[in-house]
Amino acid sequence: MRSPSAGLVEDSSSARFRPVRDGTPLGATQPVGGLQMSQANANHPDPNAGTGPDLPGQGRHQPVMVGEVVSILSPVPAGIMVDATVGDGGHAAAMLEANTRLFLLGLDRDPAAIVSASRRLERYRDRVALEQLSFDQLAVAACPLAAAKGLPVTAVLFDLGVRSDQLDDAQRGFSYRHDGPLDMRMDSTQALTAADVVNGWSESELASLFAANGEGRFCHRLARAVVAARPLSSTTELAQVVASALPASVRREPGHPARRVFQAVRVAVNSELEMLRPALGEALSLLAPGGRCVVLSYHSGEDRIVKAVFKEAETGGCSCPPKLPCHCGAQRRARLLFRSSRRPSALEVESNPRASSARMRALERLGANESRLGS
Ligand SMILES: C[S@@+](CC[C@H](N)C(=O)[O-])C[C@H]1O[C@@H](n2cnc3c(N)ncnc32)[C@H](O)[C@@H]1O
């Protein structure tokens, strides 16, 4: 079976960012596009954000739980902050403003995000490098930059999922609210599209995919309906097939009836879950002692992976009985900054419904002399 997923649910010719492999900061000699973030916003970042469920037009992407991200990451030692999903640069701008001793490396798979972030971060150009890259290649970009600058990596942020302008652009095919092609690729140079998944996967593969994304008892019914309606070419067609396959009582429930199927297909197209575990592992390996990692996830499949990776870093994989001294020699690598995930405030969700499904987890990397269990 192919990669089931889990849980709920610009003109690139104008891209004037520079690759970072030589450690050269953004815009050192080349200008970048006009800054879109106002002075007021840069100093007082909007405490809201958005990514999760596909909700009606929200305008520009608002960074989720930005106040919390800034308060957790600001105290880190001077060094490089990797924003593994820089998007429009909302979190990145807030962090550059809050901690002037950080150099920011921003990654994103989507070339349009790099263009957008380069514009928004123009005023910080001497402290920013951007690269169009998937975060499972984080070390490929961060290691040469750290070596060239002689700086440790002291902060990593993953703000998972999609951003508002990806959802709101019908041609990207992410949204059941807009009629567009079945695309859903974050990186448009990638071969696999949503049409390939929807029209090419077997009924049982689709059923497993839908089951893993919360469709439970309806997964077979949905898969059968999709297979019977093939070939499907547009988001509207897929949304209609899904809606008509569900019982009327389920269609009346809050939220669009096709939301989980769309999320399942998106996660599969972009291999979102497969990439997350190794990327988190790389991030933890790169972090210097005292460095911190924050992850914002938007569905339970993502959060389960983050929780498991963080727990393993905290316990060092210790197999000794709880509450007894450790004898297995496990070395813990990190401490959790809070045990349960944190959620956005009701106020934030009210002003930015796309933040509603966000869960935040954070850890701090330990030094070698702190890593024995019980220390
Ligand atoms: C929620 S948005 C980030 C928004 C950003 N924090 C901001 O303040 O504007 C998520 C971004 O992650 C990017 N993304 C998703 N998967 C990725 C991956 N594997 N590697 C790099 N970027 C990825 C998406 O293209 C999208 O721009």
Side-chain angles (χ1 to χ4, degrees):
M1 193 194 72
R2 297 183 188 103
S3 55
S5 52
L8 142 194
V9 270
E10 210 150 48
D11 170 20
S12 55
S13 59
S14 68
R16 282 170 279 176
F17 65 94
R18 301 178 59 179
V20 295
R21 301 237 164 81
D22 61 355
T24 311
L26 169 85
T29 54
Q30 275 180 294
V32 293
L35 180 71
Q36 304 227 331
M37 187 179 185
S38 72
Q39 179 71 47
N41 281 345
N43 290 328
H44 304 286
D46 188 331
N48 307 303
T51 333
D54 187 4
L55 295 165
Q58 302 286 303
R60 186 178 193 172
H61 185 90
Q62 297 179 54
V64 172
M65 297 180 79
V66 68
E68 290 89 336
V69 169
V70 168
S71 75
I72 292 166
L73 293 182
S74 291
V76 299
I80 293 172
M81 169 173 167
V82 183
D83 186 338
T85 52
V86 71
D88 288 335
H91 285 111
M95 281 303 305
L96 287 162
E97 198 64 38
N99 184 336
T100 54
R101 299 174 312 148
L102 287 178
F103 184 96
L104 185 116
L105 169 61
L107 308 179
D108 204 291
R109 270 174 113 171
D110 182 351
I114 298 299
V115 174
S116 179
S118 71
R119 290 183 175 151
R120 189 172 199 165
L121 303 176
E122 184 183 9
R123 68 188 297 229
Y124 310 101
R125 61 172 63 184
D126 296 340
R127 295 166 54 209
V128 174
L130 299 172
E131 190 157 6
Q132 189 215 336
L133 202 65
S134 177
F135 56 55
D136 60 337
Q137 304 286 302
L138 192 142
V140 170
C143 291
L145 181 69
K149 296 213 158 283
L151 288 172
V153 174
T154 58
V156 184
L157 172 65
F158 291 84
D159 178 19
L160 302 171
V162 283
R163 48 179 214 292
S164 296
D165 50 354
Q166 289 171 319
L167 285 172
D168 295 343
D169 180 351
Q171 290 311 307
R172 305 284 310 250
F174 284 107
S175 174
Y176 42 75
R177 293 190 184 278
H178 310 293
D179 188 32
L182 282 170
D183 189 316
M184 302 197 195
R185 291 170 299 172
M186 291 189 189
D187 173 359
S188 50
T189 63
Q190 169 188 308
L192 185 75
T193 65
D196 296 328
V197 172
V198 167
N199 294 318
W201 284 26
S202 70
E203 190 175 317
S204 66
E205 288 172 329
L206 288 173
S208 302
L209 179 69
F210 299 155
N213 278 274
E215 284 298 359
R217 64 203 159 112
F218 302 118
C219 64
H220 292 288
R221 193 173 168 151
L222 287 167
R224 213 175 306 126
V226 168
V227 168
R230 287 174 181 174
L232 293 167
S233 59
S234 74
T235 51
T236 306
E237 281 176 327
L238 177 62
Q240 280 167 354
V241 167
V242 169
S244 28
L246 291 169
S249 58
V250 175
R251 287 202 301 272
R252 283 195 295 270
E253 286 172 4
H256 195 287
R259 66 192 186 283
R260 291 196 194 92
V261 164
F262 269 64
Q263 177 167 283
V265 174
R266 188 203 89 205
V267 168
V269 167
N270 296 288
S271 307
E272 291 178 34
L273 297 187
E274 290 91 327
M275 285 186 184
L276 186 53
R277 183 180 282 275
L280 289 171
E282 276 196 358
L284 298 187
S285 299
L286 278 175
L287 272 180
R292 292 181 169 189
C293 177
V294 172
V295 186
L296 284 163
S297 59
Y298 296 88
H299 61 84
S300 58
E302 288 172 341
D303 186 55
R304 265 198 296 275
I305 293 173
V306 181
K307 187 176 175 186
V309 172
F310 277 22
K311 185 172 178 203
E312 202 174 307
E314 186 201 22
T315 63
C318 176
S319 54
C320 300
K323 298 194 176 154
L324 288 181
C326 171
H327 293 296
C328 71
Q331 304 273 310
R332 59 184 186 157
R333 303 166 72 201
R335 74 178 176 96
L336 303 184
L337 294 172
F338 38 88
R339 201 141 287 280
S340 302
S341 61
R342 287 190 181 161
R343 310 294 304 264
S345 68
L347 195 64
E348 173 166 357
V349 172
E350 194 184 333
S351 67
N352 180 18
R354 283 180 176 163
S356 63
S357 58
R359 285 175 182 271
M360 173 191 273
R361 296 189 185 272
L363 58 66
E364 184 176 288
R365 187 79 156 94
L366 297 174
N369 58 355
E370 303 168 292
S371 64
R372 286 290 304 171
L373 282 171
S375 63

